[in-house]
Amino acid sequence: MGEWPTQSVTDFHGRPLPERGEPAGYAAIMARYDLILPPPIRMAAIAERHHPTSTEAWLMLTPRHRPVAALGSHLVFAFRYEGVDLQVLSALFQTMEPDESRVSSERRRPALSRADSGSCSSG
């Protein structure tokens, strides 16, 4: 197993990024756990600047979207911005030890903040 990617790159597994970015979500999980499988159709990365350019192959997000370097954070990021990719999840869980498969509940954020929930009070 490798480390969580923390360096900005211009290419990930032969797929060029539209600008320098740090792999996140499924791309980071693939790098961390050395998963050898076809990459998802669209992967995500954290751009170095606050107005990134996305393409059909890459979703480039601002630095404020950067997940913590932990499996739980990258899974939440992936589910939120990339959807569910059963191929990556299956490969991930086949390489993990049983005790590793528990995602820590520490530092867990609420799924939606009040501002994100779209609800408004009619006080």
Side-chain angles (χ1 to χ4, degrees):
M1 273 188 275
E3 296 296 320
W4 288 106
T6 57
Q7 299 290 328
S8 290
V9 296
T10 57
D11 181 88
F12 183 79
H13 290 225
R15 187 184 292 183
L17 280 75
E19 59 186 87
R20 290 190 69 77
E22 180 183 315
Y26 292 126
I29 291 169
M30 290 171 60
R32 167 69 171 86
Y33 290 92
D34 299 321
L35 302 180
I36 306 299
L37 54 112
I41 293 171
R42 190 172 199 207
M43 292 190 288
I46 305 301
E48 292 180 340
R49 57 195 192 105
H50 291 277
H51 299 284
T53 303
S54 295
T55 64
E56 288 184 23
W58 284 98
L59 172 62
M60 301 298 291
L61 296 168
T62 64
R64 74 180 188 92
H65 292 88
R66 180 177 285 113
V68 175
L71 178 58
S73 294
H74 281 281
L75 283 172
V76 168
F77 177 95
F79 295 157
R80 180 175 288 169
Y81 297 108
E82 301 174 88
V84 175
D85 189 315
L86 296 178
Q87 183 176 5
V88 175
L89 295 174
S90 174
L92 170 66
F93 293 125
Q94 288 176 13
T95 64
M96 295 176 69
E97 296 295 323
D99 60 328
E100 273 186 297
S101 64
R102 289 189 176 149
V103 177
S104 173
S105 62
E106 293 178 29
R107 297 185 188 175
R108 185 176 288 174
R109 295 186 299 163
L112 292 174
S113 68
R114 289 183 190 202
D116 292 337
S117 68
S119 65
C120 42
S121 61
S122 55

